[in-house]
Amino acid sequence: MENESFITMPKGFKANGVSAGMKCEDPANINKDDPKSSYLDVALVVSDVPASIAGVYTSNLVKGHSLERTISKISSGNKVRGIIVNSKNANACVGAVGREDADLIASKVAEGLGCTADEIMTASTGVIGDRLPVEKITKVIPGLVEGLSAEEETAHLAEYAMMTTDTVPKEVSAVLTLADGSEVKIAGMAKGSGMIHPNLATMIGIFTTDADIDKGLLQKMLKDAVSHTFNRVSVDGDTSVCDMVVIMANGQSGQKIEEGSEDAQIFSEALTSLSLDIARMLASDGEGATKLIEIEVSGAASAEDAKLIVTSVARSPLCKTAFFGMDANCGRIMTAVGYSGAKFDPYKIDIDLGDLPVYRDGCALPFDEEEADRILHEHDINVKIMLHEGEYGDRMFTCDFSYDYVKINGSYRS
Amino acid sequence: MENESFITMPKGFKANGVSAGMKCEDPANINKDDPKSSYLDVALVVSDVPASIAGVYTSNLVKGHSLERTISKISSGNKVRGIIVNSKNANACVGAVGREDADLIASKVAEGLGCTADEIMTASTGVIGDRLPVEKITKVIPGLVEGLSAEEETAHLAEYAMMTTDTVPKEVSAVLTLADGSEVKIAGMAKGSGMIHPNLATMIGIFTTDADIDKGLLQKMLKDAVSHTFNRVSVDGDTSVCDMVVIMANGQSGQKIEEGSEDAQIFSEALTSLSLDIARMLASDGEGATKLIEIEVSGAASAEDAKLIVTSVARSPLCKTAFFGMDANCGRIMTAVGYSGAKFDPYKIDIDLGDLPVYRDGCALPFDEEEADRILHEHDINVKIMLHEGEYGDRMFTCDFSYDYVKINGSYRS
């Protein structure tokens, strides 16, 4: 997807991002011409009219207070007006006050928009266990609402304000042509870099669309899209307490998408494809990452086995450090396949590194080290594992483990 | 345990370690006065008389050929004379020739000792997927056998010869006083540093005892000892294809230990205690480790929940990099507990870092950063997680994730 993607491309959405001084104490020092992730820390995305909303959340039993609030609002089934996101602080594990702070922030936004607090979703990402600086945030909300715009430049500010250890913004969009020739748009943006592992990651993803889609169908399509994309990204095997992906559908294109229709198929495929693009961006921008690694399994006896194997290889620190070192230590891939918990005959496994066969029938091949070296020096590396046990396959995106991963995470809080 | 421990302390055992030039090409360059792990690569431990043997092995579906051979020999139930171990090469994933190589090595040892090849166990550890340099190894076997000795100095050579990325030897011993006042001895040695995770690790552990113990009881006692010690060490969550812990009991003390007796209890406790000592050494000597971290869980609703939680925290890269950075980012511990898969009420969890309470009722406490800093600067760090759900507990040893872990594993093969 091109850089010109932005969250307000679908009709009837506005966005903005401002600094509440959480990332950068003195906003006076900020260079306004350089809207970087280093100082913007509060993002808002709103629909002009109430929109259907669907959401998918972290499977972590410990959930952040902003997220818990959003889950309860979305489950109510009511339409919403928007979502406010802050970075730098996860609003998690601080007790009852965490929910009160999220409620207060939502009501300040609602006040500015002239809607109810129940129509405003909340999301927080950052350090766990510190109370939100709620006064700082509420103080900037009037300006945040005032500055809402559908303009591309302003919309990008929302993405920058969500970013934590991300090094690049992650925005996608698509214009879909429906069966009758009419058009609807989808746009998405996300943050996420470390603590990323299936179900979900330390990621927040927001999609907007001007299609008119009922909540039930929207939820189904989002869940499908997430299961093969965001739930197939692993940076470090950690799963955070704040993750969510939401989609708001405000119907402003005038096009209704009905369950079971060809249009639903078109929309669903587009949403999955955009999610896949973001998933690849997340893995590629993993903390300290120098490589994007795609692990593919085919021929597994069951879908569960295929998933166990891609997960095991994608989270193996030994495989990930070998990719960082560009060392064709493929025995570590065999090892991770072996301890995955999947059932298979170890003497039937084939493994390819890129196009280079490195294992056949469970045995290491003498391979061309120069060719392996060339493959490992690429930014995108593909590993194919073929089990020859059945018809199931799976795929996962990950990145390497570098010195910088250790550096970033040894001092994240401070 | 003291440094004067060595594998031949029990009566009737001899050991030796030599160089086959796998770690260091030209043995002529070796400083014989400095028996370090950097050049010794073949170890042998033998009993003067046939000994009962018990073993516990990796749960990895992919198993090294030397290990597979040993499993089949031990399962036969026959007594054995010894075990030969090589480092630098795992003898794994090379096909049928791997088993033939292990057979050949065992028969060369048997020839020297005047026993059958079936009485010689084999173990290999190192890089996966390269064929063993079997000529190099068989060439040094006569000298290896010839040099066997019960002397402490020679016995230590066996330990050095097993080491791969280990930085310190790991040897333990105990003299047990049985119910009737007589004595038996146990000694143990191990290698293991990276690719260490429960069930088992890239570890090889060898115990010897001069007690007379039947195979069935010996197996039971070894399994008990391993389950709470070696199976509770995690360096990086990876589980190798070559791991084994064996114990040989040759009866040379003249003391028989019967199942259900007080002596069996004494022996079993000693074996567990020695295993625990080695387990702590393994975690402490984890690749690149600067810290030994003990994760304790209490009050879990089930043993399975307790194990899920200690495992989840011990393998979390985010927790391990925070320990390396000595950053009291305890929200990451809460996060890892939350995604462990265990069932509990997140609003009842208490967490202590050393003696410092950092979470109560699932909420982060404002704690003394100076005190946390002092605790995190210690080499040994204890984390206590209290769930208040039931009566089950567990414990796991791990280490931090450092720049050196990445460095060691980014270039291990070369």
Side-chain angles (χ1 to χ4, degrees), chain A residues 60-61 68 93 95 128-129 195 236 238-239 316-318 321 325 327 332 335 338-339 344 347 363-364 369 409 412-413, chain B residues 60-61 68 93 95 128-129 195 236 238-239 316-318 321 327 332 335 338-339 347 363-364 369 409-410 412-413:
Chain A
N60 199 311
L61 204 59
E68 273 194 327
C93 301
I128 293 168
M195 209 188 263
D236 49 21
D238 282 275
T239 317
S316 157
L318 286 172
T321 46
D327 183 21
R332 291 186 178 168
T335 300
Y339 68 69
F344 59 88
Y347 291 100
C363 292
E369 286 278 354
N409 285 300
Y412 174 69
R413 205 180 47 126
Chain B
N60 199 310
L61 204 58
E68 274 195 326
C93 302
I128 293 167
M195 210 189 264
D236 50 22
D238 282 275
T239 317
S316 157
L318 287 172
T321 47
D327 182 21
R332 291 186 177 167
T335 300
Y339 69 68
Y347 291 101
C363 291
E369 288 277 355
N409 285 301
Y412 174 70
R413 207 178 48 122

Side-chain angles (χ1 to χ4, degrees), chain B residues 94-115:
Chain B
V94 300
V97 74
R99 177 61 174 265
E100 289 161 19
D101 290 345
D103 280 337
L104 180 63
I105 288 165
S107 53
K108 285 284 169 193
V109 174
E111 208 173 282
L113 290 173
C115 65

Side-chain angles (χ1 to χ4, degrees), chain A residues 305-317:
Chain A
D305 277 355
K307 186 180 168 191
L308 282 171
I309 289 171
V310 292
T311 307
S312 183
V313 177
R315 80 184 280 184
S316 157

Side-chain angles (χ1 to χ4, degrees), chain A residues 59-63 65 68 93-95 127-129 194-195 236-241 287 315-318 321-322 324-329 331-332 334-336 338-339 342-344 346-347 359 362-364 367 369 401-403 405-407 409-414, chain B residues 59-63 65 68 93-95 127-129 194-195 236-241 287 315-318 321-322 324-329 331-332 334-336 338-339 342-344 346-347 359 362-364 367 369 401-403 405-407 409-414:
Chain A
S59 61
N60 199 311
L61 204 59
V62 177
K63 288 186 171 68
H65 308 293
E68 273 194 327
C93 301
V94 300
V127 174
I128 293 168
M195 209 188 263
D236 49 21
D238 282 275
T239 317
S240 101
V241 303
E287 283 170 349
R315 80 184 280 184
S316 157
L318 286 172
T321 46
F324 171 64
M326 296 179 282
D327 183 21
N329 197 337
R332 291 186 178 168
M334 267 298 275
T335 300
Y339 68 69
K343 287 188 183 57
F344 59 88
Y347 291 100
Y359 270 76
C363 292
F367 56 80
E369 286 278 354
F401 250 156
S402 68
Y403 297 122
Y405 178 86
V406 177
K407 187 173 174 186
N409 285 300
S411 60
Y412 174 69
R413 205 180 47 126
S414 36
Chain B
S59 61
N60 199 310
L61 204 58
V62 178
K63 289 186 172 65
H65 309 292
E68 274 195 326
C93 302
V94 300
V127 174
I128 293 167
M195 210 189 264
D236 50 22
D238 282 275
T239 317
S240 100
V241 303
E287 281 171 349
R315 81 184 280 185
S316 157
L318 287 172
T321 47
F324 171 65
M326 296 179 283
D327 182 21
N329 197 335
R332 291 186 177 167
M334 265 300 273
T335 300
Y339 69 68
K343 288 188 182 55
F344 59 88
Y347 291 101
Y359 270 77
C363 291
F367 56 80
E369 288 277 355
F401 251 155
S402 69
Y403 297 122
Y405 179 86
V406 177
K407 187 174 175 184
N409 285 301
S411 60
Y412 174 70
R413 207 178 48 122
S414 35

Side-chain angles (χ1 to χ4, degrees), chain B residues 149-368:
Chain B
S149 164
E151 293 288 316
E152 173 171 355
E153 205 180 324
T154 311
H156 286 315
L157 300 181
E159 166 66 8
Y160 284 114
M162 294 208 302
M163 291 162 68
T164 50
T165 54
D166 304 67
T167 65
V168 291
K170 297 163 184 82
E171 296 170 282
V172 294
S173 65
V175 179
L176 312 189
T177 304
L178 300 182
D180 69 357
S182 60
E183 282 187 349
V184 300
K185 289 176 184 159
I186 317 180
M189 63 179 193
K191 66 79 51 175
S193 183
M195 210 189 264
I196 289 200
H197 196 64
N199 302 315
L200 292 165
T202 309
M203 65 163 292
I204 294 179
I206 299 174
F207 285 98
T208 54
T209 178
D210 50 19
D212 181 4
I213 309 177
D214 286 344
K215 188 190 156 59
L217 175 58
L218 197 61
Q219 182 68 36
K220 188 174 168 296
M221 291 194 293
L222 181 64
K223 209 178 150 193
D224 283 354
V226 166
S227 66
H228 292 102
T229 58
F230 300 120
N231 275 349
R232 288 296 182 276
V233 178
S234 178
V235 167
D236 50 22
D238 282 275
T239 317
S240 100
V241 303
C242 297
D243 313 312
M244 65 171 86
V245 179
V246 296
I247 179 165
M248 289 186 281
N250 69 2
Q252 293 299 286
S253 66
Q255 302 303 319
K256 174 88 179 172
I257 293 181
E258 302 284 0
E259 187 148 12
S261 67
E262 189 185 337
D263 288 348
Q265 181 75 11
I266 292 169
F267 190 93
S268 188
E269 280 169 13
L271 185 59
T272 300
S273 162
L274 292 177
S275 299
L276 189 62
D277 289 335
I278 296 189
R280 292 176 62 99
M281 291 180 201
L282 289 171
S284 186
D285 193 27
E287 281 171 349
T290 72
K291 307 276 176 198
L292 170 63
I293 299 152
E294 182 173 352
I295 315 289
E296 271 185 90
V297 164
S298 62
S302 70
E304 180 58 21
D305 277 355
K307 186 181 168 191
L308 282 171
I309 289 171
V310 291
T311 307
S312 183
V313 177
R315 81 184 280 185
S316 157
L318 287 172
C319 291
K320 290 155 76 81
T321 47
F323 283 122
F324 171 65
M326 296 179 283
D327 182 21
N329 197 335
C330 302
R332 291 186 177 167
I333 300 172
M334 265 300 273
T335 300
V337 173
Y339 69 68
S340 65
K343 288 188 182 55
F344 59 88
D345 178 352
Y347 291 101
K348 276 162 61 181
I349 297 185
D350 297 336
I351 301 177
D352 288 358
L353 186 65
D355 293 332
L356 186 68
V358 290
Y359 270 77
R360 284 295 177 267
D361 301 321
C363 291
L365 298 178
F367 56 80
D368 180 347

